[in-house]
Amino acid sequence: MRKIGLINALLLMFVFNASAQIFSNKVVGEKKLEERDSLKQAVYPYMLPIWGEKVTKLGFDLPYSAGFSTQYFYQESDILINNLFVGFNDGTMYDLDEIVRFNKATARTNSISVRPDVWLFPFLNVYGIFARSNNDTNVDFGVYVPGEFHLDPDLGFQWNWVKAMDFKTEANFEASTYGFGLTPTMGVGGGFIALDMNWSWSDIPELSEPARIFVFGPRFGKNFQFGKPGQSLAVWVGGFRVKMNTGTSGSLSIDEVLPGFDDQITGAYEKIEKSQMAVDDWWSGLTIQEKADPINIAKRTAANKGLSVAGSVVDAASRAETVQYSLDKRQAKMWNFIVGSQYQLNKSWALRAEVGFLGTRTHVISGLQYRFGL
């Protein structure tokens, strides 16, 4: 069975916002007068898009109405995790937001996708997404227990938490993705705007439900035509926004969660025991009057309660065969910047490349598209 950490199964982060920059272009300018007149006089031979013939007679040059594209996608992004609850052997779920602290979580994806699409209207492209991906995740986190403590006049009882266990995990897994997208576009004189958006669901065996992702990618660019009919080069800039479902839950075998867990459990017991001895020594060193002080009573009660919770979690983990979890996760930053280009050999074939950077995510897209009339 594949080794996979508790959080590793949760950090699939890949998106398929890879709409090729084909668009309906309004032909303008004196140099394009002959081309515009030719479009107005031509008979539009295809069923799609709806209103295709009317728009052509208004001087719009329409792309072929249907197509298929295959695309390679690589991305790397940082993820933030909070609201972590963990239980063992289907028992009590413990709130571990203070006990488990994540230093860094990074997800990487390599995927191949196939996307059929049609122009439903002259300015609206709709498409489907079918993809397979290989993914690896790296998670760096620590498990903390209460250590020294004090009573702050303003903040109340305060712990100095001590790291009991430290983990760095890596996992590799595969996923299948399906979804759909919409791309409203507008082009005038070769300049264009495309507002690509899609919704996708990724099946991951380790999760109780599919991972849901929404992507929005506005792009603004210019298309430069060459001498041969249908041959052009488009360049663009834009943004790339990713939103994923925050709630995740599931169940894993303890052997898959944390290899070498027994040694870490032993160390955690020792640190909890050391902290408990410090509390007991402090209490036994107080005078009778000091033990009657409500502030000292509150300090001792809170200390014993915190150590009791930590001890219960570690004790339950030491006997666990399975671990159940729920948590919230999100992108460290939703937006990054993109730059791209597409070379169109003719109205049927096009090659595309795009890179995304800045923020906490980078991505690379390359693809090949074939179009035909429908």
Side-chain angles (χ1 to χ4, degrees), residues 241-274:
R241 183 182 185 274
V242 178
K243 183 178 181 180
M244 59 196 302
N245 59 312
T246 58
T248 301
S249 62
S251 179
L252 296 170
S253 166
I254 196 69
D255 291 334
E256 295 178 324
V257 174
L258 298 170
F261 193 48
D262 291 342
D263 292 339
Q264 298 279 13
I265 287 290
T266 300
Y269 271 130
E270 292 174 352
K271 291 182 179 180
I272 292 173
E273 184 178 358
K274 184 177 179 180

Side-chain angles (χ1 to χ4, degrees), residues 44 46-48 63-66 371-374:
Y44 190 75
Y46 305 115
M47 179 175 62
L48 291 176
Y64 285 147
S65 54
R371 305 205 64 78
F372 55 93
L374 183 64

Side-chain angles (χ1 to χ4, degrees), residues 28-255:
V28 296
E30 293 297 326
K31 294 182 179 181
K32 299 290 185 179
L33 182 60
E34 184 178 344
E35 180 181 351
R36 186 166 64 250
D37 290 341
S38 176
L39 288 170
K40 291 180 178 181
Q41 296 173 12
V43 176
Y44 190 75
Y46 305 115
M47 179 175 62
L48 291 176
I50 299 170
W51 305 328
E53 183 173 2
K54 291 182 179 180
V55 170
T56 299
K57 293 189 179 300
L58 293 175
F60 280 86
D61 183 16
L62 303 185
Y64 285 147
S65 54
F68 287 92
S69 64
T70 180
Q71 301 180 65
Y72 166 77
F73 179 80
Y74 168 82
Q75 76 84 39
E76 179 176 332
S77 61
D78 293 341
I79 306 295
L80 300 180
I81 303 170
N82 54 23
N83 294 330
L84 174 63
F85 285 78
V86 171
F88 304 95
N89 296 336
D90 295 310
T92 301
M93 297 290 285
Y94 298 96
D95 182 352
L96 300 189
D97 248 6
E98 278 194 299
I99 294 176
V100 176
R101 303 182 186 183
F102 297 93
N103 300 318
K104 188 174 183 179
T106 303
R108 301 183 190 86
T109 296
N110 287 276
S111 71
I112 297 292
S113 66
V114 175
R115 196 202 70 174
D117 74 279
V118 296
W119 285 93
L120 184 60
F121 295 99
F123 313 114
L124 179 64
N125 182 269
V126 297
Y127 58 90
I129 299 169
F130 305 93
R132 288 286 296 172
S133 64
N134 291 311
N135 312 276
D136 67 86
T137 59
N138 292 271
V139 183
D140 179 3
F141 65 98
V143 178
Y144 289 75
V145 297
E148 296 180 359
F149 53 91
H150 65 279
L151 192 65
D152 188 285
D154 298 320
L155 302 177
F157 190 83
Q158 298 292 298
W159 282 108
N160 293 322
W161 291 81
V162 177
K163 184 182 289 187
M165 295 181 279
D166 193 26
F167 293 99
K168 291 184 179 180
T169 62
E170 181 176 351
N172 297 280
F173 54 100
E174 296 182 348
S176 299
T177 297
Y178 52 92
F180 68 95
L182 307 172
T183 308
T185 69
M186 171 64 75
V188 178
F192 65 87
I193 177 174
L195 304 177
D196 196 12
M197 60 196 80
N198 64 60
W199 296 259
S200 64
W201 294 261
S202 298
D203 286 327
I204 308 169
E206 290 80 7
L207 299 186
S208 58
E209 62 181 31
R212 302 186 303 275
I213 298 169
F214 170 71
V215 176
F216 175 59
R219 292 170 173 83
F220 308 89
K222 174 68 175 177
N223 193 56
F224 300 94
Q225 290 189 330
F226 297 147
K228 297 178 64 175
Q231 193 175 65
S232 64
L233 178 69
V235 293
W236 63 83
V237 298
F240 196 81
R241 183 182 185 274
V242 178
K243 183 178 181 180
M244 59 196 302
N245 59 312
T246 58
T248 301
S249 62
S251 179
L252 296 170
S253 166
I254 196 69
D255 291 334

Side-chain angles (χ1 to χ4, degrees), residues 296-347:
N296 288 331
I297 293 173
K299 288 172 67 175
R300 184 193 186 204
T301 300
N304 286 330
K305 181 179 180 181
L307 288 166
S308 176
V309 172
S312 296
V313 173
V314 173
D315 186 58
S318 69
R319 302 190 305 271
E321 296 181 358
T322 61
V323 57
Q324 290 71 47
Y325 59 86
S326 67
L327 56 81
D328 291 337
K329 61 188 184 301
R330 60 183 175 86
Q331 290 282 295
K333 291 185 178 179
M334 286 190 177
W335 285 92
N336 66 322
F337 184 72
I338 57 176
V339 176
S341 179
Q342 176 174 286
Y343 175 59
Q344 185 170 302
L345 288 77
N346 50 52
K347 291 195 70 170

